[in-house]
Amino acid sequence: MSGNSTPWDQILFQPPLCEGWKQNAEGAAYHLGNCILLLGYMGGSGIFGSIYIFSLLTTGYICYTLWGWLDACGLDIFMWNMLLVMACLLQLAHLIYRLRKDTFLEEFDLLYKTLCQPLQVPFEVYKEIVKCCEEQVLSLSRDQNYAVEGKTPINRLSLLLSGRIRVSQDGQFLHYVFPYQFLDSPEWESLRPSEEGTFQVTLTAETDCNYITWPRRKLYLLLAKDRYIARLFSAFLGYDISEKLYALNDKVFTKFGLRFDIRLPSLYHVLGPAFSDAEGEKELEEWEERAVPHRLMPTFVQTAASAPPPPPAHPKVTRPDSALLASGSLIRSYPCALFKGRAPLAPTQTPEL
């Protein structure tokens, strides 16, 4: 039976016994290598955890190599541990290359944490977005124009990273653009991919500013190729335009100093087609006479104790002329973005990311 046993049977069922144990302990390099390997295998996951693990593995195998060369005096021990050291070094170099490849400028890292990470946007998707803007951060010095009214073509989409931009029209201040807001979201939404146009406002840097920009054609190609990125930009742009509209809410006044609310349907008449000055004044006077003595405004909360008289069967709602607004053309191109051939979403409808 013993003559027919294989080497594996001898190893498994008849293992050779140690004839004698060494009296002396191994050298310090051997024990140090074991301690370092023990710490290395406690590393976590992810790229930084892998770098930690392979760094300590490399150090531990180096200690084994020194032990095999100086104390154990075994060529096989030395060669195997040297091979493990080389394998760990190659893996460590690969991890560092990946980390450097996936590392952006500080501005892009902060942009991801501010806009994309709260929405759980995958980092691979974010890299495609950043790649589309060529990973470049552009700058504007103080009082430098980003766009000039009626002259600058709408051929890009930009996002402010730092600083503050003043938006004006005909010298009339409209609102500010703050960090992590789009500079030209209304202009972008007001045009179809095949259309061209120019800015209706002037954007001027009030401080030193940094921003990133996506070329219009290149971004359209990316949005057409990736549906997820298209929905993501739709959500970003919709939120940005709504923020700008709310910023303009404090700019819209009536002739009597009362404030319009942009959430109310009557603002559509403010943004609707303008009547001639004479016709507008005439209809405004008629409307005021009907409102006396209560001065009723259909879009405002009334504080009078008495109940208002019933409105006429078909009241004429006019567009207040330029004297009733804080500025002559206050809403820049936001109405174009909202009403130009686009059906608005229902109030309960949200973009699907």
Side-chain angles (χ1 to χ4, degrees):
M1 185 72 178
S2 60
N4 296 329
S5 62
T6 62
W8 287 107
D9 293 333
Q10 294 179 0
I11 294 175
L12 294 176
F13 303 107
Q14 298 176 355
L17 300 177
C18 295
E19 297 178 357
W21 293 92
K22 294 177 64 175
Q23 299 297 323
N24 298 327
E26 298 294 339
Y30 176 79
H31 296 289
L32 179 62
N34 286 324
C35 293
I36 294 176
L37 289 180
L38 178 63
L39 294 175
Y41 286 118
M42 293 182 181
S45 60
I47 188 169
F48 291 103
S50 299
I51 290 176
Y52 169 84
I53 292 174
F54 282 102
S55 298
L56 291 184
L57 288 182
T58 302
T59 307
Y61 288 133
I62 288 176
C63 292
Y64 278 163
T65 302
L66 295 176
W67 166 72
W69 182 262
L70 299 176
D71 292 342
C73 298
L75 182 62
D76 55 346
I77 298 176
F78 172 80
M79 293 300 298
W80 274 111
N81 284 284
M82 180 60 69
L83 182 62
L84 291 174
V85 168
M86 297 300 297
C88 289
L89 286 176
L90 290 176
Q91 183 65 28
L92 194 60
H94 175 67
L95 291 172
I96 294 176
Y97 170 77
R98 282 183 53 194
L99 182 63
R100 182 177 179 84
K101 183 180 179 181
D102 294 340
T103 300
F104 296 113
L105 297 175
E106 181 181 357
E107 291 85 354
F108 289 106
D109 289 335
L110 192 57
L111 176 62
Y112 178 76
K113 294 177 182 177
T114 304
L115 289 184
C116 298
Q117 196 170 28
L119 298 178
Q120 299 180 354
V121 177
F123 194 74
E124 294 297 325
V125 174
Y126 179 70
K127 287 197 299 183
E128 291 294 326
I129 297 174
V130 173
K131 183 180 178 181
C132 184
C133 70
E134 300 177 354
E135 302 183 23
Q136 292 184 356
V137 177
L138 307 178
S139 61
L140 286 174
S141 58
R142 186 174 182 179
D143 296 330
Q144 183 179 355
N145 288 332
Y146 169 82
V148 179
E149 178 182 351
K151 295 182 180 180
T152 305
I154 304 173
N155 56 8
R156 54 182 172 170
L157 177 66
S158 300
L159 180 71
L160 187 63
L161 298 178
S162 63
R164 187 174 64 186
I165 299 290
R166 182 177 69 254
V167 182
S168 60
Q169 187 177 49
D170 296 329
Q172 180 79 32
F173 169 77
L174 298 182
H175 63 88
Y176 286 114
V177 178
F178 296 101
Y180 304 109
Q181 291 183 344
F182 287 95
L183 296 177
D184 38 16
S185 54
E187 286 77 13
W188 175 271
E189 287 292 329
S190 66
L191 296 179
R192 300 182 184 275
S194 59
E195 296 177 342
E196 296 182 358
T198 57
F199 277 80
Q200 301 178 23
V201 293
T202 298
L203 289 85
T204 307
E206 280 211 339
T207 62
D208 292 337
C209 301
N210 292 326
Y211 68 97
I212 58 175
T213 185
W214 292 272
R216 186 170 179 233
R217 179 177 178 81
K218 196 172 182 180
L219 182 56
Y220 270 128
L221 292 176
L222 176 63
L223 299 182
K225 181 179 69 173
D226 196 313
R227 189 177 180 185
Y228 178 84
I229 296 179
R231 291 182 175 180
L232 188 65
F233 266 86
S234 178
F236 284 153
L237 292 171
Y239 177 78
D240 189 80
I241 292 176
S242 65
E243 286 292 310
K244 289 180 170 62
L245 283 173
Y246 274 102
L248 287 174
N249 193 28
D250 290 335
K251 290 291 182 180
V252 183
F253 296 92
T254 68
K255 185 177 182 180
F256 309 105
L258 299 177
R259 183 176 292 112
F260 276 105
D261 192 333
I262 65 172
R263 294 166 293 183
L264 299 179
S266 61
L267 184 66
Y268 173 77
H269 301 287
V270 179
L271 305 178
F275 294 96
S276 63
D277 292 341
E279 184 180 358
E281 288 291 341
K282 181 179 178 180
E283 295 192 4
L284 180 61
E285 290 175 1
E286 295 176 357
W287 180 76
E288 289 175 357
E289 292 175 359
R290 291 196 301 267
V292 174
H294 300 283
R295 295 289 186 182
L296 296 179
M297 301 293 292
T299 60
F300 305 109
V301 176
Q302 300 298 321
T303 59
S306 60
H314 299 285
K316 294 182 179 180
V317 183
T318 62
R319 177 188 185 276
D321 61 1
S322 59
L324 303 182
L325 299 178
S327 63
S329 183
L330 192 61
I331 311 296
R332 60 189 285 204
S333 60
Y334 303 126
C336 298
L338 296 178
F339 304 117
K340 187 176 182 180
R342 287 171 170 78
L345 292 175
T348 58
Q349 191 173 0
T350 56
E352 179 183 357
L353 296 183

